[in-house]
Amino acid sequence: MRPKPALSFWQIWNMCFGFLGLQFGLALQNANVSRILQTLGANVNDIPALWIAAPLTGLIVQPIIGHYSDRTWNRLGRRRPYFLVGAVFASLALLWMPNAPMLWVAAGLLWILDASINVSMEPFRAFAGDQLPTQQRPAGYAMQSFFIGAGALIASMLPWILAQFGVTNVAPDGGIPDTVKYAFYSGGAVLLGAVLWTILTTREYPPAQLQSFTDNVADEPAVDASRAWRPGVMLLLVGIAVLFAIRHFVLEKEVYLLAGGLIVFGLLFAWLSRTRSHGMLREVMGDLYGMPNSMRRLAWVQLFSWFALFAMWIYTTAAVTQTIYATTDTGSSAYNEGANWVGVLFAAYNGFGALAAVVIPLMVHRWGLRISHVVNLCLGGGCLLSFLYIRNPHWLLASMVGVGFAWASILSLPYALLSDNLPTAKMGVYMGIFNFFIVIPQLLAASVLGLLLRLCFHNQPIWALGMGGASLLIAGLCTLRVPEPEGYA
């Protein structure tokens, strides 16, 4: 047994550089897909249902990719084959998306885009755990956050920048403006190029060598899943109750997704308690049922954090254009000016997030991982709540400072809190399972946000951002329950 070698700054830079491209694609998606969907005729109340493709895809894809990447070894390595396949298909989807001729095609491309990005992104998280010794993992995840912020900063601003150079920002006959088209074409090239850089400049440890390092965490004995039927029955009953509520109260169709998800997981846990299978599904569900206690507590932090982010991504365009620019006409110059400004705001929070990635290690050194995450989440929650009161669009840039710190923290500190306790042989599948708690709140947001806005807030999308701010504050409180790892207390 010997220590895992420390990597140089440039080696860490190269292994994380692919995140620049992946986030370039995600930022274009987050800032512009609602705009594309509305332009193609989607009603603002139907947008959450169309966005369901993204989190549902992640829920299915990430644990599968994690499971198989743990068991892969070929000429490209262990994780890198998945980087390449995902990047190729994501780039093709970016090239086609702004040319979608109708709404259902755009919704299908959103599904393909998110599935492909998930195929690449999930192994990147495990890749850092594979390559870096324990003491360098916080720096590795911070570097990932830096590239995520830098990539999203440029991508979010691209339509606005192109408009400043004279590219037309209003398309005839309700089409997609050239500013958005050229931004997506650029995104496809950047995504593929950045991921190829990481593939060509990094190497991977063979599985046997990984097991020989002193920071290897051994896999725990299989958990007795004979009582998994208990949470299964509870989830099944809640799902059935939601179905009856939908029919009785004539709720939105998106809530069927929530009911269906509860029923499916209820049945899977019941099946887990009885099956003698040893296949992929049994292993993933068994690891989900028996996940470490620290991961279980972090799950609540992730649930509330990502609910807030998804509310912001879905509704910021509609909220800003309706509340500040006083229009819902997607063909008007005011709407497109407001939509471009949302791109600038998203660029701003990603830029502030890149800067926060430099500051957060200093916060961790002074306060520890847990308190640093609490401070950043509360800062983000307060700034998101400020959207309820600000009416000058330029002042919203100040709100993006807090959102940027929360974003950088969400992308790094939960992984630092978790990664040292994950078995080396199952790093990929556990990272995939951890992403359940990114995906589930997004599905929840897509299912209930439209309903809550209709029932409680007179269909005013600005209140979705208020709910997001409150959710980040709750996530901060949940973080206080997470144990501080040794060496940070």
Side-chain angles (χ1 to χ4, degrees), residues 58-382:
L59 186 67
I60 297 169
V61 168
Q62 294 216 12
I64 294 174
I65 295 300
H67 174 87
Y68 283 111
S69 71
D70 283 339
R71 291 158 174 76
T72 294
W73 184 256
N74 59 32
R75 291 179 62 185
L76 270 181
R78 190 184 192 194
R79 315 291 183 187
R80 290 180 297 170
Y82 299 92
F83 299 169
L84 180 60
V85 171
V88 169
F89 281 96
S91 297
L92 292 174
L94 283 170
L95 294 176
W96 193 4
M97 171 96 52
N99 298 300
M102 54 193 73
L103 183 60
W104 70 266
V105 176
L109 287 169
L110 173 61
W111 194 299
I112 294 170
L113 174 61
D114 206 80
S116 302
I117 290 176
N118 273 295
V119 168
S120 287
M121 185 169 287
E122 194 286 330
F124 260 104
R125 294 295 188 187
F127 190 54
D130 292 343
Q131 300 296 102
L132 294 170
T134 299
Q135 67 273 16
Q136 285 192 310
R137 285 176 183 168
Y141 289 120
M143 183 72 80
Q144 288 182 355
S145 294
F146 171 79
F147 279 123
I148 287 170
L153 169 65
I154 301 169
S156 298
M157 289 189 68
L158 260 185
W160 181 84
I161 292 171
L162 291 169
Q164 307 313 302
F165 281 92
V167 179
T168 179
N169 191 45
V170 179
D173 303 323
I176 307 301
D178 285 347
T179 51
V180 176
K181 287 185 177 181
Y182 293 145
F184 272 67
Y185 299 158
S186 302
V190 171
L191 191 155
L192 184 59
V195 172
L196 284 174
W197 179 273
T198 289
I199 291 172
L200 296 173
T201 60
T202 57
R203 52 94 181 98
E204 293 189 74
Y205 295 114
Q209 189 175 2
L210 271 177
Q211 297 293 327
S212 71
F213 291 126
T214 54
D215 66 352
N216 170 48
V217 177
D219 192 12
E220 297 179 355
V223 174
D224 180 9
S226 62
R227 296 183 179 180
W229 61 269
R230 295 181 178 180
V233 169
M234 182 182 68
L235 290 172
L236 190 61
L237 292 175
V238 173
I240 293 171
V242 173
L243 281 179
F244 278 108
I246 294 170
R247 296 180 63 86
H248 183 74
F249 296 107
V250 195
L251 302 180
E252 273 81 351
K253 59 183 177 297
E254 292 90 350
V255 187
Y256 277 110
L257 179 67
L258 176 61
L262 291 168
I263 290 171
V264 167
F265 271 94
L267 292 172
L268 285 172
F269 276 120
W271 169 81
L272 176 66
S273 68
R274 305 292 297 176
T275 186
R276 297 182 180 276
S277 167
H278 297 285
M280 181 201 68
L281 182 59
R282 167 61 179 82
E283 290 196 22
V284 170
M285 291 303 300
D287 290 332
L288 175 62
Y289 178 70
M291 61 184 169
N293 185 55
S294 59
M295 185 174 174
R296 202 176 295 272
R297 294 186 178 185
L298 275 168
W300 290 102
V301 179
Q302 296 291 81
L303 282 167
F304 286 106
S305 299
W306 286 90
F307 181 91
L309 292 172
F310 205 60
M312 180 181 71
W313 291 334
I314 293 176
Y315 282 104
T316 300
T317 296
V320 170
T321 54
Q322 180 176 324
T323 304
I324 297 179
Y325 288 83
T327 183
T328 57
D329 179 6
T330 59
S332 67
S333 59
Y335 176 88
N336 283 285
E337 181 184 352
N340 275 359
W341 186 248
V342 170
V344 175
L345 294 177
F346 279 23
Y349 89 73
N350 281 289
F352 292 130
L355 295 176
V358 178
V359 176
I360 284 173
L362 303 178
M363 298 173 66
V364 170
H365 180 73
R366 183 175 181 84
W367 298 328
L369 289 168
R370 183 176 59 179
I371 297 302
S372 297
H373 198 46
V374 171
V375 169
N376 291 325
L377 290 175
C378 291
L379 183 60

Side-chain angles (χ1 to χ4, degrees), residues 35-49:
R35 174 184 187 175
I36 291 173
L37 296 176
Q38 280 189 277
T39 302
L40 292 174
N43 185 281
V44 67
N45 293 325
D46 293 329
I47 289 177

